Amino acid sequence: MNSPLFLSIKIATIATLIVFILGAFFARVIARKKFPGKSFVESVILLPLVLPPTVVGFGLLYLFGKNGPLGSFLLQSFGIQVVFSWIGAVVAAVVVSFPLMYQSASAAFQNYDQNVENAALTMGASKWKIFFTISFPLAWPGLLAGLVLSFARALGEFGATLMIAGYIPGETNTIPLAIYFAVEAGHMEQARFWVLIIVSLGFSSVLWLNWWSKRNILKFNQ
């Protein structure tokens, strides 16, 4: 059960759930508010998109290492070791895919008419009720796009994962790592097999998202 395929789907799924919740939350809080330093905050959030994966991995290794500020706290307080474990792979996938979710969610929460929310607010609806009955459904197409793209990005994460989680068979050997080390060992047939698998998964995700988006556009125009 700990094959690269199973581990990749497991890690990408957990990371995507975390990213979806955090991305939607921060996008909702930040998107429509104006405050000093907003551009700086958003630049920090989007930074993993432009940094080399090894730089992201180095930063995570520093933070979550046994002597790092977060790593030592988690290890001493909860006995959780992030580095060289599947948890580290999840952390890497969360960090590199979070900007995609944030961008999609931010655009989604800004692209519908806010007057609908204001009207519900004046009628006495609570902010939580407005979010779950109005904001979330209206933003759902953009949120779903971010969800699918984040999953595909988490599934293909390599550089940061290798830095913080390493290559441990049965523990952190995701498909991208399995491809790299299969090529290193000269096992080209095995590498081609995993390339075909991950390309199929990524292509299927994007193809489904495009189909779903076009279908909803047609429904909207009818």
Side-chain angles (χ1 to χ4, degrees):
M1 287 298 291
N2 288 333
S3 70
L5 176 60
F6 172 78
L7 285 170
S8 292
I9 293 177
K10 169 188 170 182
I11 289 167
T13 300
I14 295 172
T16 303
L17 290 174
I18 295 171
V19 162
F20 179 75
I21 295 170
L22 293 179
F25 173 78
F26 281 103
R28 176 64 179 169
V29 171
I30 296 173
R32 291 181 173 175
K33 291 186 180 294
K34 294 182 179 180
F35 56 89
K38 178 178 178 179
S39 296
F40 178 81
V41 171
E42 290 192 308
S43 296
V44 171
I45 290 174
L46 300 177
L47 193 58
L49 283 177
V50 297
L51 288 178
T54 49
V55 174
V56 176
F58 178 82
L60 293 176
L61 195 59
Y62 173 78
L63 289 173
F64 290 97
K66 290 183 178 180
N67 297 320
L70 295 179
S72 60
F73 170 75
L74 291 173
L75 189 60
Q76 294 173 13
S77 301
F78 305 101
I80 298 175
Q81 179 178 322
V82 176
V83 175
F84 300 121
S85 69
W86 69 270
I87 299 175
V90 171
V91 171
V94 166
V95 171
V96 299
S97 59
F98 180 79
L100 292 173
M101 186 67 234
Y102 176 81
Q103 279 189 316
S104 297
S106 181
F109 284 125
Q110 293 183 69
N111 284 342
Y112 61 82
D113 189 359
Q114 193 176 357
N115 290 325
V116 180
E117 295 178 352
N118 294 334
L121 194 61
T122 58
M123 295 175 67
S126 67
K127 290 185 178 181
W128 281 108
K129 185 176 182 179
I130 291 172
F131 175 79
F132 286 109
T133 60
I134 297 176
S135 306
F136 189 84
L138 289 175
W140 175 241
L143 294 175
L144 181 62
L147 186 72
V148 174
L149 292 175
S150 297
F151 177 79
R153 180 65 186 88
L155 196 65
E157 166 49 30
F158 170 75
T161 301
L162 184 59
M163 291 285 288
I164 190 174
Y167 181 72
I168 305 172
E171 179 78 12
T172 65
N173 59 321
T174 58
I175 293 177
L177 295 182
I179 293 170
Y180 177 81
F181 284 98
V183 172
E184 283 285 296
H187 301 153
M188 301 306 293
E189 287 295 328
Q190 185 179 358
R192 278 193 288 267
F193 171 77
W194 290 121
V195 166
L196 180 62
I197 293 296
I198 199 166
V199 168
S200 300
L201 289 172
F203 180 77
S204 299
S205 299
V206 176
L207 183 65
W208 179 87
L209 179 60
N210 286 334
W211 170 81
W212 185 86
S213 299
K214 290 179 181 178
R215 189 190 68 169
N216 279 270
I217 290 173
L218 288 174
K219 283 185 177 181
F220 179 79
N221 291 330
Q222 286 177 353

